[in-house]
Amino acid sequence: MNTVTVKNVTIGSGSPKIIVPLVGKNESELIEEAKHLLTIDCDLVEWRVDFFDQVTNFEATAEMSKKIAEILSDKPILFTFRTKQEGGELAFTDEQYFGLYKMIIEHGAIDLLDVELFMDDTFVQETIKRAHEKAIKIVMCNHDFDQTPTKEEIVSRLCMMQEKNADICKIAVMPQSSNDVLTLLEATNEMKTQHADRPIVTMSMGQLGMVSRMCGEVFGSAMTFGAAKKASAPGQVPVEELREILKTLAL
């Protein structure tokens, strides 16, 4: 399997890399939060820009990304606008979503870009091409906050992401039972052993799925999301606890 290296972090080998969300609503909150993340033992930072109160001002958002990148100079930054239909804070049209992404690619300071799987494919391919020209890696993702699809469907969606030229393929699903958690783990293992030629990231959300955030090295998930001050998704484990668990599992 190919790995993805961003700054000094190699995704797809060794223990799952810990990524924490940045969810401040304005510049002062974001700067304070970014400085706090310097004290946190994480590998990457995800800026959930849909929380940012100036996100509709694309130029201001690009400038804010530079300020964040300056503070977190050694940490790779994943830029994510999570759409309303996939659990985000704000409804954006396709034109707004891809307009923001064009601005951030050309004038911002980011290392990875989150692109949702079920978006307009023409826009998606244009965005991926533009990002790759700037050496920005693509994390393609899909979220199901209601249920856990079948194992076959999870594998199919991850394979689709590979076909669309994502650098990292990510899926998050909601379990209704312990069997659903097993379905996610079985799908992860099958993807890793039979299909994946690049890093994959999978998780079962909520309290029920919490175990999936810790056992990625066993089943094949290359990153895991931990919470610093505020979680950005249900079931995120505090970073300090997550690091200790991952170290123990690696022994």
Side-chain angles (χ1 to χ4, degrees):
M1 183 189 293
N2 297 316
T3 58
V4 171
T5 299
V6 188
K7 290 185 176 172
N8 61 342
V9 177
T10 299
I11 301 160
S13 70
S15 290
K17 303 305 178 284
I18 296 176
I19 182 164
V20 297
L22 190 62
V23 292
K25 289 182 170 60
N26 54 49
E27 181 172 337
S28 61
E29 284 185 12
L30 283 165
I31 287 172
E32 180 189 349
E33 202 177 339
K35 288 178 179 175
H36 174 67
L37 292 185
L38 289 173
T39 69
I40 298 291
D41 183 16
C42 65
D43 301 299
L44 305 94
V45 172
E46 179 185 40
W47 182 17
R48 275 289 302 274
V49 73
D50 49 301
F51 283 89
F52 183 41
D53 61 10
Q54 292 189 69
V55 69
T56 55
N57 182 334
F58 300 166
E59 292 85 357
T61 303
E63 286 305 308
M64 191 68 236
S65 76
K66 293 176 185 176
K67 293 174 184 177
I68 292 169
E70 189 176 351
I71 295 167
L72 296 167
S73 54
D74 294 333
K75 306 267 190 201
I77 295 170
L78 167 62
F79 183 91
T80 299
F81 183 95
R82 180 67 59 239
T83 62
K84 194 79 169 176
Q85 60 265 33
E86 295 224 6
E89 294 295 298
L90 198 64
F92 253 22
T93 64
D94 281 7
E95 288 72 22
Q96 286 176 302
Y97 180 92
F98 289 105
L100 171 64
Y101 276 20
K102 182 178 181 183
M103 175 63 72
I104 202 73
I105 290 167
E106 294 180 356
H107 300 290
I110 62 168
D111 304 290
L112 306 104
L113 182 66
D114 177 284
V115 177
E116 291 176 5
L117 172 63
F118 294 119
M119 301 291 279
D120 180 280
D121 198 51
T122 301
F123 284 147
V124 166
Q125 291 308 316
E126 286 173 2
T127 299
I128 291 174
K129 182 175 183 292
R130 197 175 282 124
H132 283 165
E133 286 170 355
K134 296 280 189 176
I136 295 167
K137 305 296 186 185
I138 297 294
V139 179
M140 191 168 284
C141 66
N142 175 242
H143 300 77
D144 192 325
F145 281 88
D146 298 318
Q147 62 176 344
T148 297
T150 64
K151 180 181 74 169
E152 293 73 22
E153 179 62 20
I154 293 170
V155 171
S156 171
R157 291 182 193 179
L158 290 167
C159 287
M160 214 184 305
M161 295 172 194
Q162 286 196 157
E163 290 160 11
K164 289 177 182 284
N165 206 23
D167 298 290
I168 298 167
C169 307
K170 175 195 165 197
I171 193 164
V173 297
M174 186 63 76
Q176 302 299 331
S177 67
S178 55
N179 281 338
D180 284 346
V181 182
L182 288 174
T183 295
L184 181 278
L185 294 174
E186 287 171 357
T188 307
N189 189 59
E190 181 175 316
M191 184 70 192
K192 173 194 170 188
T193 56
Q194 297 183 31
H195 308 287
D197 59 8
R198 65 204 71 188
I200 59 171
V201 179
T202 68
M203 66 211 68
S204 185
M205 293 184 282
Q207 290 291 115
L208 198 54
M210 198 178 287
V211 64
S212 70
R213 297 180 181 275
M214 305 170 194
C215 60
E217 193 168 358
V218 175
F219 292 94
S221 183
M223 289 197 295
T224 187
F225 287 71
K229 285 187 174 180
K230 180 181 176 184
S232 62
Q236 287 179 356
V237 182
V239 171
E240 295 83 357
E241 292 177 33
L242 192 54
R243 181 67 79 189
E244 287 305 309
I245 292 164
L246 294 179
K247 282 179 182 174
T248 302
L249 291 174
L251 294 176

